[in-house]
Amino acid sequence: MYDWNDLKAFLAVAETGSTLSAAQALRVSQTTVARRIAALEEATGLNLFERRQAGYALTPVGEAMLARAADVRDAAERFGEAAGASSRDAGGTVSLTVMEIFAVTILPPILRDLRAAHPEIHLHLDTSDEPRDLASGAADIAIRSSKQPTGAGLVGRRIADNPWTVYSSRDYADLHGIPHSREQLAAHPFIGGGGYVWEPYQAWLKQYRLEESVVMQYDSASGLLAGVRSGMGLTILPAFLADREPDLIRCIPPKREDTTGLWLLTHERLRHVPRVRLVLDFLAAELTKLGRT
């Protein structure tokens, strides 16, 4: 095999007729050009030039190989142009819709690293708890907690299991103990609400006859997190993030039917857009890594 720089030296000498002129064109030393020509001839087993006092002249074999070498150069230039175009396309704005509770807990360090690695990407975060319609262009990428995402044209992957279960703060547990069964939960106050999560949360409370245990309601899931951190009572949170909160304790194991998945999604028409693909791949790698720790 030969070195691409040897081939460039061959083309430069063929076009200029001397190692000196080729060296000036390539901005290297004349000795380097001569060495590269010799290396190419050795690698190919071909005598490409006749060394004359007036300069270098192509041999018949060299003449035959010149067009092939030019084809390689042209292909390399086209590759570079395509790579440059793709790099430019990779820049721009990518909109990400994600529940606020994830946006304020697990995502900031991931997005910081994404920004450091790809400063050409500008992110717009939509932290509404209501699922956005990716098919209509409401967002480019979604991170959702769901048993099975629904929506036209969605493509993506399940990043991790994400069961929802009951948590308390460590301070609360020190003062009031930790309930270890669903029967013991009735002796503890609950923080309710949570915006989009309130409907399934309320159904859970109703199933275990704990609706009367709710002492305060927040209108967002991040409010639930703040309430339980304060030691006000118990609440239900997604384990993917709550298990990584050093001040929180999981009270009881989740039931199988309470387990959802954490999904990374986009619309099929966007899956190959360079900037969207870049963000998808980065988030997938980082969230998968987080799910394994």
Side-chain angles (χ1 to χ4, degrees):
M1 294 297 292
Y2 55 85
D3 188 306
W4 164 234
N5 288 311
D6 296 347
L7 196 61
K8 287 197 291 187
F10 166 66
L11 285 165
V13 172
E15 290 169 356
T16 63
S18 74
T19 54
L20 178 59
S21 297
Q24 293 170 343
L26 296 174
R27 297 184 179 181
V28 297
S29 70
Q30 186 177 11
T31 301
T32 297
V33 173
R35 178 172 52 80
R36 290 200 175 280
I37 294 299
L40 182 60
E41 289 181 326
E42 182 179 355
T44 59
L46 301 175
N47 182 22
L48 301 172
F49 291 99
E50 291 181 10
R51 278 71 169 174
R52 299 174 178 173
Q53 189 172 0
Y56 277 49
L58 286 167
T59 65
V61 172
E63 289 278 5
M65 298 303 295
L66 181 60
R68 298 289 180 267
D71 288 343
V72 174
R73 177 182 58 194
D74 293 345
E77 290 176 352
R78 289 194 298 271
F79 176 85
E81 291 169 358
S86 293
S87 177
R88 290 190 295 274
D89 287 345
T93 299
V94 175
S95 56
L96 171 64
T97 177
V98 57
M99 290 175 61
E100 183 186 15
I101 194 169
F102 291 108
V104 300
T105 54
I106 62 173
L107 274 186
I110 294 175
L111 298 183
R112 175 202 61 206
D113 293 345
L114 171 61
R115 174 63 183 164
H118 301 285
E120 72 279 11
I121 295 293
H122 298 271
L123 287 171
H124 177 265
L125 260 66
D126 178 348
T127 58
S128 171
D129 288 340
E130 293 289 338
R132 297 304 192 193
D133 182 7
L134 302 189
S136 69
D140 299 322
I141 297 172
I143 298 175
R144 289 183 186 167
S145 178
S146 170
K147 290 188 176 180
Q148 183 63 50
T150 58
L154 292 184
V155 293
R157 67 185 84 177
R158 183 182 176 118
I159 296 297
D161 288 339
N162 186 39
W164 291 64
T165 191
V166 183
Y167 290 85
S168 77
S169 69
R170 294 187 182 277
D171 289 343
Y172 180 93
D174 290 342
L175 290 173
H176 306 287
I178 305 172
H180 292 294
S181 69
R182 282 167 170 77
E183 291 73 22
Q184 293 175 9
L185 293 175
H188 296 266
F190 273 76
I191 306 160
Y196 176 69
V197 306
W198 178 232
E199 185 176 346
Y201 183 1
Q202 193 173 33
W204 188 94
L205 291 170
K206 184 176 182 180
Q207 179 182 356
Y208 295 103
R209 300 177 182 175
L210 293 170
E211 291 177 285
E212 299 302 320
S213 297
V214 175
V215 297
M216 178 175 286
Q217 288 191 206
Y218 284 90
D219 63 1
S220 69
S222 57
L224 295 182
L225 180 60
V228 71
R229 279 173 173 167
S230 74
M232 187 185 304
L234 311 181
T235 197
I236 295 180
L237 291 169
F240 189 85
L241 69 89
D243 284 347
R244 292 166 177 79
E245 288 286 322
D247 295 332
L248 298 187
I249 296 174
R250 186 192 286 199
C251 297
I252 59 174
K255 296 177 68 174
R256 182 181 298 273
E257 56 265 32
D258 295 330
T259 297
T260 63
L262 192 68
W263 296 81
L264 182 62
L265 305 166
T266 189
H267 192 268
E268 59 185 3
R269 72 173 183 278
L270 298 175
R271 64 192 305 179
H272 297 304
V273 174
R275 64 181 182 278
V276 175
R277 185 79 260 163
L278 186 153
V279 175
L280 278 172
D281 291 344
F282 192 95
L283 291 177
E286 294 302 312
L287 290 171
T288 301
K289 187 190 308 179
L290 186 63
R292 292 172 180 162
T293 59

